Amino acid sequence: MLMLSCLNRTSNTKQPIINQIEIDEQTSHQLEGLEIYMRSTDFTGHITNIKINTQKLPDTAPDDSLIEELHTVNAGVIETFVGTPTNKIEFKIITEEGETIQFEKEIIISLCLSNNELSWAGSGSVFPATSLFIQKATKIKNSQPFNASPDFCK
Amino acid sequence: MSEFNHRFEVGLSHALDYTTNFKPKVRRGIYDNILIAQIADKALQIEKIPPWVATAKKEIGTAEVVGAKANPRILEYFKSSKFWGEDDSGGANAWCGSFTAWVMEQHNYTPPKAAYRAKSWINFGTKIKEPIIGAIGIKSRTGGGHVAIILGKSKDGKQYYMLGGNQGDKVCVKTYSKTVWTDWVVPPGFNTKGYTLPVYKGEATKAGKEA
């Protein structure tokens, strides 16, 4: 009886299990984030060979000294999970001056599409290209229907 | 003393000064009481500030740690937004949304889903057309957004003073052109009556870095 109650308590504190792998709370949130981004953005892919070119943007509002930088990112696509399948992409990230943009060698990333241009979808839109996340992305890709939020990328 | 009591006493003191020094001929008695109540109410309105503004101000100076290590306080902000990041620096882990989530959580408001993303804050609470002190502003631009709490405006009204996280890699007050802010929200159920957007008189730096 005591053993049973201990077992129950232990099982209540565990996080959800994906393919028999026990995951921590942070990873659980990140997997949830992957699903939110995949279901809300226009492109999600497993990318590699990432090259970033940064340039200063013209100052459109000199009164507030706001200087922005445009980071143009080119990468090869290993697999497209959401969006038109492709083998290479280019996307834009705009930050204020001095923000460092760095990625791991291989990542899963979700992007927004506007005027035929892919762009940064926001904090938390980059995921590790591990088997856990690739499996999750594949599972989401194969699940239907997608209820994408039209406002998400506006 | 509670913040309300303090503000009430300040208001009452202004009212008493007013009746004593500027209206000596006003009849004493019920008329005085009405006048005092009206002026006290006016004084209270002038000083009305949502309570989360003080909470956010106390965080000014919280800054990123360069390199792989992170400021434990910023990791607390991450926790409030359910963000999984372990590194507080770099554009991919921009934490303005997480900071706003932490501030709101201190006042028992539940942050929106995916609060780590600046633009998610559009779905928080109630939208308002014109900002009041303490309103949450969202900067929706293609390729990167931002979210921060407004403290006031410039004398000419063309600039806003925004208190936010990840502004130059820290929590601080910065000036922005008013035109870059696309949406304003206040927490659910918050009554904006009597709140205004004052001219900001504190310290601030010009907008520089965020993401």
Side-chain angles (χ1 to χ4, degrees):
Chain A
M1 191 64 180
L2 181 67
M3 249 180 83
L4 188 64
S5 116
C6 285
L7 279 172
N8 281 341
R9 197 160 54 240
T10 308
S11 65
N12 284 343
T13 58
K14 282 179 183 170
Q15 295 302 313
I17 293 171
I18 293 182
N19 293 343
Q20 307 307 311
I21 301 165
E22 209 172 291
I23 56 170
D24 60 23
E25 194 181 6
Q26 276 184 317
T27 310
S28 172
H29 288 321
Q30 196 169 12
L31 287 165
E32 190 190 342
L34 175 65
E35 181 149 10
I36 291 170
Y37 271 106
M38 277 185 70
R39 291 190 184 280
S40 309
T41 56
D42 306 293
F43 176 89
T44 299
H46 177 186
I47 65 169
T48 187
N49 199 18
I50 303 161
K51 290 186 173 63
I52 305 169
N53 179 38
T54 299
Q55 63 186 93
K56 219 172 255 187
L57 284 172
D59 191 0
T60 52
D63 58 326
D64 72 352
S65 303
L66 180 69
I67 301 166
E68 292 180 318
E69 285 178 341
L70 170 68
H71 309 270
T72 305
V73 185
N74 284 278
V77 179
I78 296 168
E79 187 176 359
T80 305
F81 296 113
V82 174
T84 310
T86 179
N87 58 9
K88 59 181 180 179
I89 54 163
E90 180 179 292
F91 62 93
K92 296 178 189 321
I93 305 173
I94 297 171
T95 65
E96 295 195 355
E97 191 183 25
E99 195 73 61
T100 314
I101 300 292
Q102 277 180 326
F103 297 114
E104 296 292 324
K105 208 172 173 184
E106 280 186 26
I107 54 167
I108 296 171
I109 190 166
S110 292
L111 298 164
C112 287
L113 182 66
S114 175
N115 299 325
N116 288 323
E117 278 188 346
L118 289 169
S119 60
W120 178 246
S123 290
S125 57
V126 174
F127 306 90
T130 60
S131 57
L132 177 67
F133 281 84
I134 291 167
Q135 266 181 5
K136 174 76 175 178
T138 308
K139 197 175 170 186
I140 297 166
K141 177 187 175 180
N142 295 332
S143 70
Q144 294 292 333
F146 264 47
N147 296 314
S149 158
D151 294 333
F152 196 87
C153 277
K154 268 185 184 172
Chain B
M1 186 187 291
S2 73
E3 193 183 339
F4 177 81
N5 284 343
H6 171 69
R7 290 210 316 266
F8 183 78
E9 284 205 357
V10 170
L12 197 61
S13 142
H14 289 182
L16 287 167
D17 281 354
Y18 185 80
T19 49
T20 308
N21 300 323
F22 302 104
K23 292 276 182 185
K25 289 175 187 171
V26 170
R27 278 177 58 192
R28 296 288 165 191
I30 191 168
Y31 299 109
D32 279 7
N33 291 340
I34 292 168
L35 185 61
I36 287 168
Q38 283 174 345
I39 297 168
D41 188 50
K42 187 76 181 167
L44 284 171
Q45 280 184 20
I46 290 166
E47 297 197 350
K48 257 183 148 178
I49 300 171
W52 60 83
V53 170
T55 306
K57 277 184 175 177
K58 282 180 193 162
E59 298 300 303
I60 288 175
T62 303
E64 291 176 8
V65 175
V66 181
K69 285 186 180 173
N71 184 331
R73 190 61 152 186
I74 295 174
L75 294 182
E76 281 183 42
Y77 303 159
F78 282 177
K79 206 170 179 185
S80 291
S81 70
K82 295 183 178 173
F83 186 57
W84 47 85
E86 290 173 349
D87 181 4
D88 55 14
S89 53
N93 282 358
W95 46 276
C96 53
S98 295
F99 170 70
T100 312
W102 182 87
V103 172
M104 287 298 112
E105 217 176 52
Q106 304 312 301
H107 293 271
N108 299 317
Y109 294 114
T110 305
K113 200 173 181 183
Y116 42 80
R117 183 178 186 258
K119 291 180 193 176
S120 294
W121 285 89
I122 292 170
N123 304 317
F124 179 68
T126 312
K127 277 193 181 185
I128 54 173
K129 281 186 180 173
E130 293 297 325
I132 55 157
I133 185 166
I136 296 166
I138 299 111
K139 193 178 164 196
S140 297
R141 60 180 172 193
T142 303
H146 187 51
V147 59
I149 295 165
I150 189 164
L151 297 186
K153 60 186 176 187
S154 58
K155 276 183 188 171
D156 63 6
K158 289 180 179 173
Q159 291 177 319
Y160 287 155
Y161 290 79
M162 306 298 295
L163 169 54
N166 199 43
Q167 297 184 157
D169 300 336
K170 61 179 184 249
V171 178
C172 66
V173 181
K174 287 206 164 184
T175 56
Y176 289 85
S177 170
K178 69 178 280 186
T179 57
V180 302
W181 299 93
T182 49
D183 297 270
W184 298 98
V185 296
V186 290
F190 181 74
N191 185 356
T192 58
K193 194 181 173 188
Y195 289 89
T196 58
L197 186 64
V199 170
Y200 183 71
K201 290 170 186 160
E203 289 182 2
T205 50
K206 298 268 186 181
K209 287 167 62 181
E210 69 186 49

